[in-house]
């Protein structure tokens, strides 16, 4: 099937070749071994792009030179780095950004390599601590009963070393932030949700306790059912809460420690990129020593390291510590100290709730010393002109400050002063509670402490100590970091993020190991932004084996109104409806805001004869399964679905993007980076970010060699703006058009050919 009549390119432009990445030939033992491995795959296909990448990775691991390699969809990049990793004779850590790829490596790719090569090696998967059942907590729940455990766990805000997108709830966090999701119903600072059915929760905990006696791993992924998050949290711990194996009564039988021991003896260790970030932040205390690291899905590396190398403090951490400490502190003055700590949590929540989405603790004297923007407001210079990208939004937009001390209103200064005073008060009260916990553990008691009390005291001390350390970070006020409030009014959290991750990575990572960074989409200037520009690094683009010019069409709706104006939405929805009908449903509609997603779904559902699935109605995994199974269905979703969605085959023939994914001008972290970049902010901050997200969204379409379809960008700027060439250069080499009739004809041909193919197969 080849619906391949001539289509005019947007603005008569041809797809430009990739720039800034040079090829490098390499061949050796690894490429020959790769051919042996691929021979065991169905079809036994050998791809030149895969062989080229494999040879480059082999050279990098042998020479110690870093490698950044862009490998388009269909290359088979995982085997291209696993084979040379196994043959290198070095210990290699592979860090992935998604659980799906982690599972693929562990259950499919590494076993295939092991079965195909005459090179014995061992591999292990290591996850964050909260992914494993905690034997100590299980023992405490079993001994004390469920009621007290429900009370104690009710206030917990447990962090994880791993990505928040690994959760299984109906919402995932918003892009770039590890806290609250777009719905505002999740996040480390959220108060615990009410339990609709406590009996069902207790039943799940009992089932988990029985499983704890049978499992060899304690890994949540090995469960035959998906427990309620509250049930699992009652029997697990996070990295800040765990006191370590030596201080825990259950340390000798700890599931996490067993997994770490297995990783320490393995040749290849597969981890989540967030766990690798936690390893760097801890000074190298999380993962075993290794010589090589492979970052797959490297387009997310800057964002992940920004979160991992920063700090977050949420009100729930104070409440959790107070609740955890109550059974351990019985004196009246102790209870007063715990009440004061709980009150601090409420004060902290109040201080943050009205400042969500804004920069805080701004020091104008530091900005004056380090201001590189020449007094320019964040968002000026060559940033996208006019329209909503330049509009301050939100109820507290007035508190957003840029790099100019003159833009630091007295009202905001007073709020920052109150927040600093509250942090000092919190640190004092925390130190008091931690001191009381230590003294209570040292004093002789009429009744000897049991292992449950010892374990709970150790966890409380660990949680309190980490919270004190994190609060202290905010008092330093370094110019290379930005403090801001993330989350929602219901679940706010205070963050401290590095403005530039390059310097810390240069000191912690690049001189210590050889790194291979790979993705189907390598962001522009990634090496420089990660601190690799001064290191020994090679860059390579091997392309993709897919025939995009035959199989895919890029449509830009040039005739639509400017997407930055609210009145553009009726025309947008009309255009989207026409495209969906032409595709026979089978549409992944991606939006840049939750509001537009829900409005589009509610507006179009009555007009369409196809099922419309909407993000948030069900967990992400279940939504994608339903979308793939119901071939005529449509899925409307926002930023969490722009990447990591893999639906090959007939269920997807249209990917529609509602607008160019530029960041908000009042995003505190992006704003701080724009201030650093000065007049070049749009070119070096906003444009590369938008290009990467656009390429990721468009990349949802062609997932196999047999896929056909259309990427429709419903934002005319991709056809008219002066910067369009930069965005187009990052997209696969699809043919282009601005004529919807050609799109409808192309989609009609796909439907006709598929029907004829189905009849021929009967």
């Amino acid at each position: 099937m080849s619906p391949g009549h001539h289509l005019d390119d947007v603005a008569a432009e041809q797809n430009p070749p990739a720039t800034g990445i040079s090829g490098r030939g390499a061949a050796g033992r690894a490429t020959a071994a790769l051919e042996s491995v691929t021979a065991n795959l169905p079809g036994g296909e050998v791809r030149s792009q895969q062989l080229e990448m494999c040879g480059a990775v082999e050279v990098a691991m042998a020479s110690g030179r870093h490698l950044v390699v862009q490998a388009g969809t269909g290359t088979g990049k995982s085997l291209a780095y696993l084979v040379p990793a196994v043959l290198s004779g070095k210990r290699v850590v592979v860090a992935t950004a998604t659980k799906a790829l982690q599972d693929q490596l562990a259950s499919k790719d590494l076993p295939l390599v092991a079965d195909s090569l005459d090179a014995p090696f061992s591999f292990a998967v290591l996850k964050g601590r909260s992914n494993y059942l905690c034997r100590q907590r299980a023992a405490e729940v079993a001994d004390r009963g469920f009621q007290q455990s429900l009370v104690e766990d009710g206030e917990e805000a447990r962090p994880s070393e791993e990505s928040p997108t690994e959760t299984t709830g109906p919402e995932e966090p918003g892009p770039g932030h590890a806290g609250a999701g777009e719905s505002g119903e999740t996040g480390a600072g959220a108060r615990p949700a009410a339990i609709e059915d406590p009996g069902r929760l207790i039943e799940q905990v009992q089932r988990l306790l029985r499983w704890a006696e049978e499992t060899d791993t304690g890994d949540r992924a090995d469960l035959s059912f998906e427990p309620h998050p509250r049930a699992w949290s009652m029997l697990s711990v996070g990295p800040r809460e765990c006191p370590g194996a030596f201080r825990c009564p259950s340390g000798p039988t700890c599931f996490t420690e067993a997994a770490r021991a297995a990783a320490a003896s393995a040749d290849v260790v597969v981890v989540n990129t967030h766990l690798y970030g936690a390893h760097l932040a801890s000074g190298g205390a999380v993962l075993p020593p290794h010589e090589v690291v492979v970052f797959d899905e490297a387009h997310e590396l800057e964002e992940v390291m920004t979160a991992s190398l920063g700090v977050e403090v949420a009100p729930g951490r104070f409440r959790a510590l107070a609740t955890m400490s109550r059974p351990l502190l019985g004196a009246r003055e102790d209870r007063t100290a715990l009440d004061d700590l709980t009150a601090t949590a409420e004060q902290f929540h109040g201080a943050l709730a009205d400042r969500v989405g804004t920069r805080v603790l701004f020091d104008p004297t530091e900005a004056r010393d380090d201001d590189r923007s020449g007094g320019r407001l964040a968002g000026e210079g060559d940033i996208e002109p006019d329209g909503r990208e330049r509009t301050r939004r939100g109820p507290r937009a007035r508190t957003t400050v840029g790099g100019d001390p003159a833009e630091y209103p007295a009202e905001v200064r007073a709020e920052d002063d109150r927040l600093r005073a509250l942090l000092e008060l919190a640190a004092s009260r925390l130190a008091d509670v931690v001191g009381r916990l230590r003294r209570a553990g040292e004093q002789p008691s009429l009744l000897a402490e049991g292992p449950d009390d010892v374990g709970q005291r150790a966890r409380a001390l660990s949680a309190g100590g980490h919270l004190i350390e994190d609060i202290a970070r905010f008092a330093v006020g370094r110019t290379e970091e930005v403090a801001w409030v993330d989350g929602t009014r219901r679940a706010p959290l205070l963050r401290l993020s590095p403005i530039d991750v390059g310097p810390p990575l240069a000191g912690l990572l690049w001189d210590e190991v050889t790194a291979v960074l790979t993705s189907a989409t390598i962001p522009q200037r990634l090496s420089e932004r990660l601190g690799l520009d001064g290191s020994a690094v090679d860059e390579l683009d091997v392309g993709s084996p897919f025939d995009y010019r035959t199989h895919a069409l890029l449509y830009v709706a040039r005739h639509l109104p400017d997407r930055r104006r609210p009145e553009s939405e009726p025309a947008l929805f009309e255009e989207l409806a026409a495209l969906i009908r032409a595709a026979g449903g089978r549409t992944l509609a991606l939006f840049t805001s939750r509001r537009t997603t829900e409005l589009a779904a509610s507006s179009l559902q009555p007009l369409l004869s196809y099922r419309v699935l909407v993000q948030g109605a069900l967990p992400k995994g279940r939504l994608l399964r339903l979308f793939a199974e119901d071939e005529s269905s449509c899925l409307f979703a926002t930023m969490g679905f722009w990447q990591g969605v893999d639906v090959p085959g007939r269920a997807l023939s249209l990917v529609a993007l509602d607008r160019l994914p530029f960041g908000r001008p009042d995003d505190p972290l992006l704003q701080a980076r724009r201030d650093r970049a000065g007049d070049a902010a749009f070119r070096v901050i906003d444009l590369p970010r938008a290009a990467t997200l656009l390429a990721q969204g468009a990349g949802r379409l062609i997932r196999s060699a047999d896929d056909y379809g259309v990427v429709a960008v419903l934002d005319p700027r991709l056809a008219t703006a002066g910067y369009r060439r930069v965005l187009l250069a990052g997209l696969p080499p699809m043919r282009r058009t601005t004529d919807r009739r050609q799109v409808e004809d192309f989609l009609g041909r796909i439907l006709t050919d598929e029907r004829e193919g189905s009849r021929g197969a009967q």
Side-chain angles (χ1 to χ4, degrees):
M1 196 265 304
S2 178
H5 63 287
H6 175 72
L7 298 176
D8 294 331
D9 283 341
V10 172
E13 295 171 357
Q14 297 297 319
N15 284 280
T19 58
I21 299 180
S22 59
R24 177 183 61 180
R29 189 162 66 112
T31 53
L34 177 61
E35 292 179 332
S36 298
V37 173
T38 55
N40 291 327
L41 290 169
E45 182 181 4
V46 177
R47 304 160 185 164
S48 60
Q49 297 85 359
Q50 189 180 42
L51 290 173
E52 183 181 7
M53 176 178 171
C54 179
V57 173
E58 180 183 27
V59 170
M61 291 181 177
S63 66
R65 290 182 61 83
H66 302 306
L67 174 67
V68 178
V69 54
Q70 180 165 287
T73 305
T75 298
K77 63 182 183 299
S78 58
L79 292 179
Y81 60 70
L82 287 178
V83 170
V86 167
L87 298 178
S88 69
K90 300 177 179 180
R91 175 173 287 158
V92 179
V93 170
V94 179
T96 75
T98 63
K99 184 178 184 297
L101 181 54
Q102 193 175 30
D103 291 343
Q104 174 190 316
L105 293 174
S107 63
K108 179 182 176 183
D109 294 339
L110 281 165
L112 173 65
V113 173
D115 292 342
S116 304
L117 297 183
D118 186 20
F121 72 97
S122 59
F123 66 89
V125 177
L126 184 60
K127 301 178 181 179
R129 190 172 293 274
S130 60
N131 287 274
Y132 301 95
L133 183 138
C134 173
R135 287 192 183 274
Q136 180 59 31
R137 292 214 73 188
E140 293 171 11
V141 170
D143 291 344
R144 295 178 176 175
F146 298 107
Q147 189 61 41
Q148 181 177 348
S149 298
L150 282 171
V151 173
E152 291 175 3
D153 188 69
E155 295 290 355
E156 287 203 36
R158 182 161 303 126
S160 170
E161 299 119 315
E162 295 200 316
S163 166
T165 56
E166 302 302 318
T167 61
T168 57
E171 304 296 340
E172 78 285 339
H177 309 317
E182 293 174 85
S183 67
E185 298 304 315
T186 62
R191 291 182 176 86
I195 304 172
E196 296 180 358
D197 186 356
R200 180 172 175 268
L201 186 67
I202 291 175
E203 180 183 347
Q204 285 197 359
V205 173
Q206 291 173 330
R207 190 174 176 183
L208 288 170
L209 289 174
R210 291 193 296 271
W211 175 75
E213 300 301 319
E214 303 167 356
T215 177
D216 293 326
T217 66
D219 188 343
R220 179 176 179 169
D222 293 342
L223 284 167
S224 60
F225 70 102
E226 180 55 46
H228 189 283
R230 185 76 172 273
W232 181 257
S233 69
M234 288 172 61
L235 301 175
S236 63
V237 296
R240 300 186 187 117
E241 183 185 351
C242 178
F246 293 109
R247 296 184 180 90
C248 178
S250 299
T253 59
C254 176
F255 286 123
T256 302
E257 295 303 320
R260 291 190 173 186
S265 62
D267 300 304
V268 178
V269 182
V270 180
V271 303
N272 181 281
T273 307
H274 282 263
L275 187 61
Y276 201 95
H279 171 71
L280 295 179
S282 70
V286 175
L287 302 178
H290 52 281
E291 300 156 276
V292 177
V293 59
V294 177
F295 291 110
D296 203 339
E297 301 166 312
H299 60 278
E300 297 194 39
L301 188 56
E302 181 180 22
E303 180 179 300
V304 171
M305 291 303 166
T306 297
S308 298
L309 298 177
V311 170
E312 66 176 52
V313 176
R317 292 178 67 183
F318 298 94
R319 290 191 290 264
L321 178 60
T323 304
M324 194 188 316
S325 303
R326 287 192 187 278
L328 305 170
L329 298 174
R332 177 180 300 176
E333 56 270 25
D334 292 337
R335 291 195 296 271
T336 300
L338 295 175
D339 290 342
D340 289 343
L341 189 60
T342 301
T344 300
E346 301 310 315
Q347 292 174 280
F348 196 53
H349 187 282
L352 299 182
D354 285 342
R355 305 191 69 182
V356 170
T358 66
R359 186 172 179 176
V360 297
L361 304 177
F362 181 73
D363 188 336
T365 60
E366 292 172 358
R368 184 178 295 111
D369 294 338
D370 195 51
D371 180 25
R372 304 179 189 178
S373 63
R376 177 190 52 79
L377 285 174
E380 289 186 350
D382 55 355
I383 197 169
E384 175 70 350
D386 302 321
R388 292 173 66 189
E389 266 85 358
R390 290 289 308 279
T391 303
R392 302 275 191 228
R393 287 175 285 180
R396 296 301 298 256
R398 61 181 175 78
T399 65
T400 300
V401 293
D404 187 354
E407 297 299 319
Y408 191 35
E411 177 185 5
V412 181
R413 188 191 303 268
E415 290 176 334
D416 278 352
D417 288 342
R418 287 193 292 270
L419 181 56
R420 288 190 181 93
L422 181 57
L423 287 171
E424 292 177 4
L425 176 64
S428 174
R429 288 178 172 175
L430 281 167
D432 181 33
V433 169
V434 169
R436 291 174 185 274
L437 286 168
R438 288 201 179 101
R439 290 191 296 273
E442 295 167 355
Q443 292 174 355
S445 175
L446 294 177
L447 296 175
E449 279 193 323
D452 292 354
D453 291 329
V454 172
Q456 186 162 347
R457 189 182 309 280
R459 291 202 310 278
L461 286 170
S462 177
H466 279 103
L467 186 49
I468 290 172
E469 291 175 1
D470 289 348
I471 288 178
R473 285 277 301 271
F474 287 92
V476 177
R478 290 177 290 194
T479 58
E480 63 269 20
E481 295 176 321
V482 57
W484 55 293
V485 184
D486 194 10
T488 66
R489 286 180 58 86
R490 180 181 178 272
L493 62 158
L494 182 62
R495 288 191 182 278
L496 187 70
S497 304
I499 298 174
D500 181 1
V501 299
L505 289 181
L508 295 170
L509 180 59
W510 308 128
D511 291 338
E512 304 299 321
V513 297
T514 300
V516 175
L517 284 66
T518 185
S519 173
T521 307
I522 293 294
Q524 301 165 19
R525 301 176 56 251
L526 179 65
S527 296
E528 178 184 345
R529 298 206 306 270
L530 295 178
L532 271 168
D533 54 316
S535 304
V537 57
D538 294 309
E539 298 185 340
L540 174 68
D541 183 355
V542 300
S544 169
F546 293 159
D547 183 3
Y548 283 99
R549 290 194 65 82
T550 300
H551 286 237
L553 178 65
L554 172 65
Y555 168 56
V556 181
R558 183 171 186 163
H559 63 282
L560 288 180
D562 192 322
R563 277 293 293 121
R564 293 167 293 177
R565 291 175 168 77
E567 60 270 20
S568 68
E569 287 180 346
L572 167 73
F573 297 160
E574 181 181 350
E575 184 78 11
L576 181 56
L579 292 171
I580 290 174
R581 293 189 189 100
R586 310 192 307 172
T587 298
L588 176 63
L590 298 174
F591 300 86
T592 54
S593 75
R594 172 58 55 86
R595 186 197 67 83
T596 309
T597 304
E598 295 175 347
L599 182 59
S602 62
S603 300
L604 296 185
Q605 177 68 91
L607 307 177
L608 300 172
S609 59
Y610 313 106
R611 182 181 187 182
V612 176
L613 303 168
V614 184
Q615 179 184 357
L618 293 169
K620 182 176 181 179
R622 188 175 174 191
L623 270 179
L624 290 174
R625 285 194 296 272
L626 289 174
F627 178 56
E629 292 167 0
D630 184 351
E631 288 189 1
S632 66
S633 66
C634 303
L635 175 56
F636 286 32
T638 186
M639 298 304 297
F641 285 65
W642 283 59
Q643 50 191 343
V645 172
D646 188 7
V647 184
R650 296 170 53 167
L652 179 59
S653 61
L654 172 64
V655 172
L657 313 177
D658 83 311
R659 63 185 293 161
L660 298 180
F662 285 108
R664 291 175 54 146
D666 54 359
D667 180 290
L669 183 55
L670 288 178
Q671 187 184 54
R673 288 173 174 168
R674 293 183 190 114
D675 290 339
R676 285 287 182 96
D679 291 337
F682 180 69
R683 178 173 53 84
V684 302
I685 303 298
D686 293 278
L687 198 54
R689 179 183 180 277
T692 300
L693 288 172
L694 182 65
Q696 284 291 312
R700 299 314 94 209
L701 179 65
I702 303 297
R703 307 303 298 173
S704 75
D706 297 324
D707 290 346
Y708 288 81
V710 171
V711 173
V713 180
L714 307 182
D715 189 330
R717 288 175 294 174
L718 191 59
T720 60
Y723 53 76
R724 66 186 181 278
R725 292 179 179 83
V726 176
L727 300 178
L728 290 168
L731 297 176
M734 301 173 282
R735 287 171 298 153
R736 304 172 187 164
T737 185
T738 59
D739 187 345
R740 195 175 81 193
R741 292 171 300 178
Q742 294 180 342
V743 175
E744 291 168 339
D745 182 61
F746 187 84
L747 291 170
R749 284 170 169 257
I750 294 174
L751 284 172
T752 299
D753 287 355
E754 286 182 351
R755 292 192 192 103
E756 292 177 352
S758 297
R759 286 196 295 268
Q762 292 177 353

